[in-house]
Amino acid sequence: MVIGDGVLTPAISVLSAISGLRISDKTGSTNEKLSDGVVLLISCAILVGLFALQHYGTHKVAFLFAPIVVIWLISIFAIGLYNTIYWNPSILRAISPYYIVKFFRRTGKDGWISLGGVILSITGTEALFADLGHFTALSIRLAFAFVVYPCLVLQYMGQAAFLSKNPSAIQTSFYDSIPDPLFWPIFVIATLAAIVGSQAIITATFSIIKQCHSLGCFPRVKVVHTSSDIYGQIYIPEINWILMVLCLAITIGFHSTTLIGNAYGIACMAVMFITTWLMALVIVFVWQKSILLALVFLLFFWSIEGAYISASLTKFPQGGWVPIVLSVVVMLIMYVWHYGFCNKYNFDMQNKVSLRWLLDLGASLGIVRVPGIGLIYSELATGVPAIFSHFVTNLPAFHQVLVFVCVKSVPVPYVLQEERFLIGRVGPRSYRMYRCIIRYGYGDIRGDNCDFESQVIQSIAEFIQLEADDPECSSGSWSSDERMAVIGARAVQSSSSLMVIEQDESIAAMSTVSATIENLHSADEHDDEEIGMRRRVRFQVAERSGMDACVRDELMELIEAKEAGVAYIMGHSRIKARRSSSLLKKLGIDVGYSFLRKCCRGPAVALNIPHVSLVEVGMIYYV
């Protein structure tokens, strides 16, 4: 629903702000300043410009957002105060709850239906704090209680005072209630405020999509971090253009703030309704309070929200169906992707290679061990993936050092740097096979890690030394099934087992690859630059007294393999439903999931793997 809100908010905000260009003049004549078509064209132009500028990031103009919002709130406060004093000061009595009781007593069912429009008086305020994680709870409470709420109440009170004397101006009461000398300044600041509110909800949509993707609930998309200083400033090109197309379709298709408002009201009330339910779960499971307290909280707020959402649903035929359809489509995409993702992972778990099979191959793994390091990417955090046996079966050569890399997104916002890497060994020491699990929270930024290979090498070196120092694995950081140790990023940078001895060297001086491979590298300037950055770091075993000879030999072999080159090995899989599967499952897997996989970014691109060093292993999964 919030993603659907990202479509509706720009449409209704910009269209309602620009509608000031076609209001009637103050004398009450019907001479309109601009036609509806021109207003619609201007609104669409502003929306296209808004979405087209997203790739620059909001940090370049974000310093203007707070002043715009503050000026906007002060402006509506002043106009509301003026209208209240000038037109009907007795409107202040409307604060009394007596009048809402009298209103419902006189209007009955019509008063209940009107709640679907009343809810629009508070929608949009959530856009002020769309990125709530960037503010403290106290600052949000103070801003709403002492700034936002008084300004809104006084503005609507002023409009009510104006309408009590000018009932014919109900369609354009806001702009009609503005004094003539202030019309254009208020129009400009209203348009800017609409853009700021739209920008906030667009950014929030990007954040939600990114977090869903991190948790395996959304297809892979390109996430661009537009600011190196401001945390969380991201841009997703695919989502941006989809939002723009949908937003323009809503604006052109409805071309009326009333119809868009019907859809907007249902979206906002559904978000509030579901959020209240989730808050009740937080009370029970996070705060560890009694279920009775959560039930009282739920019933109290649902009794209020239920009246509003039931009234909003009466507008379903008049545009209210839009957020429902958008939510169903987005939820269907998320469900199909998550279903296929989980089935693929379960297939990997059921078909992973047993350690006995690995031991039967012997130290040579039954093949020729060539110089270099092979980074084998897999979703498995334990065991050997099926792509490894498939690769070994079809190719009679493999790297002298193998590292099974698993990138995991854990359901917490951020993972501490000290807990980022989890390193272990696969098989006996002579096999030179390791496991590296890299953990990210759904809010963590995964930038282009130019020193990723160096971090992995240093982490493995720290694990080798740690394993030698504590052969019984009695430390609390070891796991029970495999000997795993937490190696923090800070520990990697201050590694005592390996020393960085040389930097800023050219590829030609360091790489042992042939001239042919170097020519292939130079064919792509961008990839060549990335590889150069990755291979500019060389290591040397630190001089430590009492270092075991086996440990030193293993570290030396690790360094030799690093200087020989690094290859990234990934599975290039196709997923199909079994013939015995139901028709619904075949549609979901063979049609839905396959279509999403073709449309989304490949895993190698999502993980920033250099193309010239990538080896893909083709496999078919039957789930």
Side-chain angles (χ1 to χ4, degrees), residues 84 188 246 264-265 432 476 498 560:
T84 301
V188 172
L246 292 176
Y264 193 39
R432 302 295 191 257
L498 295 183
E560 293 174 0

Side-chain angles (χ1 to χ4, degrees), residues 52 141 163 169 174 202 274 296 325 337 385 406 409 436 560:
R141 294 191 188 104
L163 288 173
F174 173 72
I202 291 170
I274 297 170
V296 171
V325 171
W337 180 264
C406 177
S409 292
C436 176
E560 293 174 0

Side-chain angles (χ1 to χ4, degrees), residues 189-491:
I189 195 66
T191 304
L192 293 176
I195 293 174
V196 171
S198 302
Q199 176 62 56
I201 202 67
I202 291 170
T203 303
T205 304
F206 290 160
S207 298
I208 291 174
I209 294 294
K210 186 250 184 186
Q211 293 177 11
C212 290
H213 161 249
S214 297
L215 295 175
C217 296
F218 200 85
R220 290 181 296 269
V221 290
K222 181 180 181 180
V223 178
V224 179
H225 301 279
T226 58
S227 174
S228 58
D229 301 322
I230 303 177
Y231 194 83
Q233 290 287 348
I234 62 174
Y235 165 68
I236 304 177
E238 298 94 333
I239 302 301
N240 181 67
W241 301 123
I242 291 175
L243 286 178
M244 186 190 76
V245 171
L246 292 176
C247 190
L248 291 175
I250 294 295
T251 305
I252 297 173
F254 286 163
H255 61 268
S256 169
T257 55
T258 301
L259 294 177
I260 301 177
N262 294 336
Y264 193 39
I266 290 182
C268 291
M269 281 312 306
V271 170
M272 295 180 186
F273 197 77
I274 297 170
T275 302
T276 301
W277 167 252
L278 296 176
M279 190 63 206
L281 297 181
V282 170
I283 292 174
V284 175
F285 294 106
V286 180
W287 294 354
Q288 300 294 318
K289 303 296 183 180
S290 66
I291 297 179
L292 181 61
L293 178 62
L295 187 62
V296 171
F297 168 85
L298 201 62
L299 292 177
F300 174 76
F301 283 99
W302 268 7
S303 63
I304 301 173
E305 295 169 353
Y308 282 99
I309 196 170
S310 59
S312 299
L313 289 175
T314 61
K315 308 291 185 180
F316 185 86
Q318 293 84 33
W321 54 271
V322 172
I324 305 296
V325 171
L326 288 174
S327 299
V328 169
V329 171
V330 174
M331 190 172 178
L332 184 62
I333 292 173
M334 295 172 68
Y335 179 79
V336 169
W337 180 264
H338 187 66
Y339 179 77
F341 178 84
C342 291
N343 274 271
K344 179 180 178 297
Y345 180 79
N346 292 332
F347 182 90
D348 285 334
M349 287 292 294
Q350 296 169 3
N351 294 274
K352 62 183 179 182
V353 179
S354 65
L355 189 59
R356 179 178 295 276
W357 177 85
L358 195 64
L359 294 174
D360 291 340
L361 291 178
S364 66
L365 300 183
I367 55 177
V368 177
R369 303 297 291 271
V370 298
I373 296 179
L375 300 180
I376 304 174
Y377 278 79
S378 170
E379 293 288 341
L380 297 181
T382 60
V384 179
I387 63 168
F388 177 75
S389 62
H390 191 65
F391 192 94
V392 170
T393 303
N394 290 275
L395 193 68
F398 218 89
H399 299 85
Q400 66 186 99
V401 174
L402 302 177
V403 183
F404 295 97
V405 180
C406 177
V407 179
K408 285 292 183 183
S409 292
V410 292
V412 296
Y414 309 106
V415 175
L416 297 177
Q417 292 294 330
E418 294 81 2
E419 302 174 358
R420 180 79 67 199
F421 289 90
L422 197 61
I423 306 296
R425 187 185 297 278
V426 179
R429 181 189 295 269
S430 59
Y431 282 33
R432 302 295 191 257
M433 299 175 65
Y434 311 93
R435 186 182 308 282
C436 176
I437 301 175
I438 309 169
R439 298 177 292 190
Y440 291 97
Y442 57 79
D444 280 325
I445 294 178
R446 305 184 201 178
D448 294 332
N449 297 323
C450 296
D451 58 345
F452 171 74
E453 295 172 4
S454 299
Q455 290 182 2
V456 171
I457 299 304
Q458 288 181 295
S459 300
I460 294 173
E462 284 302 298
F463 168 79
I464 294 171
Q465 186 61 51
L466 184 62
E467 186 184 41
D469 294 339
D470 191 4
E472 298 298 328
C473 305
S474 58
S475 173
S477 62
W478 304 93
S479 65
S480 57
D481 54 345
E482 285 188 7
R483 298 181 292 179
M484 305 288 289
V486 176
I487 306 293
R490 292 192 178 94

Side-chain angles (χ1 to χ4, degrees), residues 21-323:
L21 294 175
R22 56 178 173 82
I23 65 170
S24 302
D25 61 25
K26 303 300 182 185
T27 62
S29 67
T30 57
N31 181 29
E32 294 186 341
K33 297 181 179 180
L34 285 178
S35 65
D36 290 347
V38 175
V39 170
L40 188 64
L41 184 62
I42 295 174
S43 301
C44 291
I46 292 177
L47 289 173
V48 171
L50 175 65
F51 284 100
L53 294 175
Q54 291 298 314
H55 71 279
Y56 291 108
T58 58
H59 64 284
K60 295 182 180 179
V61 292
F63 68 95
L64 295 174
F65 287 0
I68 289 174
V69 173
V70 170
I71 294 174
W72 167 245
L73 291 174
I74 293 175
S75 300
I76 63 174
F77 180 87
I79 294 172
L81 183 62
Y82 166 80
N83 287 326
T84 301
I85 297 174
Y86 183 80
W87 292 106
N88 188 358
S90 62
I91 201 71
L92 291 172
R93 289 183 298 174
I95 296 177
S96 172
Y98 165 77
Y99 291 99
I100 188 64
V101 176
K102 183 179 180 180
F103 172 77
F104 283 121
R105 188 176 296 169
R106 293 182 59 181
T107 58
K109 181 180 177 182
D110 291 336
W112 165 69
I113 293 177
S114 70
L115 291 178
V118 172
I119 190 61
L120 296 178
S121 64
I122 63 169
T123 55
T125 55
E126 76 281 356
L128 294 172
F129 298 98
D131 301 317
L132 289 177
H134 295 270
F135 302 91
T136 63
L138 179 61
S139 65
I140 295 172
R141 294 191 188 104
L142 291 176
F144 268 93
F146 297 104
V147 181
V148 177
Y149 180 74
C151 293
L152 288 176
V153 169
L154 198 58
Q155 166 56 213
Y156 289 122
M157 198 173 290
Q159 288 191 49
F162 173 79
L163 288 173
S164 66
K165 305 298 182 182
N166 303 274
S168 61
I170 191 170
Q171 295 296 331
T172 55
S173 60
F174 173 72
Y175 281 113
D176 282 339
S177 65
I178 299 174
D180 290 340
L182 298 178
F183 175 83
W184 286 109
I186 296 299
F187 172 78
V188 172
I189 195 66
T191 304
L192 293 176
I195 293 174
V196 171
S198 302
Q199 176 62 56
I201 202 67
I202 291 170
T203 303
T205 304
F206 290 160
S207 298
I208 291 174
I209 294 294
K210 186 250 184 186
Q211 293 177 11
C212 290
H213 161 249
S214 297
L215 295 175
C217 296
F218 200 85
R220 290 181 296 269
V221 290
K222 181 180 181 180
V223 178
V224 179
H225 301 279
T226 58
S227 174
S228 58
D229 301 322
I230 303 177
Y231 194 83
Q233 290 287 348
I234 62 174
Y235 165 68
I236 304 177
E238 298 94 333
I239 302 301
N240 181 67
W241 301 123
I242 291 175
L243 286 178
M244 186 190 76
V245 171
L246 292 176
C247 190
L248 291 175
I250 294 295
T251 305
I252 297 173
F254 286 163
H255 61 268
S256 169
T257 55
T258 301
L259 294 177
I260 301 177
N262 294 336
Y264 193 39
I266 290 182
C268 291
M269 281 312 306
V271 170
M272 295 180 186
F273 197 77
I274 297 170
T275 302
T276 301
W277 167 252
L278 296 176
M279 190 63 206
L281 297 181
V282 170
I283 292 174
V284 175
F285 294 106
V286 180
W287 294 354
Q288 300 294 318
K289 303 296 183 180
S290 66
I291 297 179
L292 181 61
L293 178 62
L295 187 62
V296 171
F297 168 85
L298 201 62
L299 292 177
F300 174 76
F301 283 99
W302 268 7
S303 63
I304 301 173
E305 295 169 353
Y308 282 99
I309 196 170
S310 59
S312 299
L313 289 175
T314 61
K315 308 291 185 180
F316 185 86
Q318 293 84 33
W321 54 271
V322 172

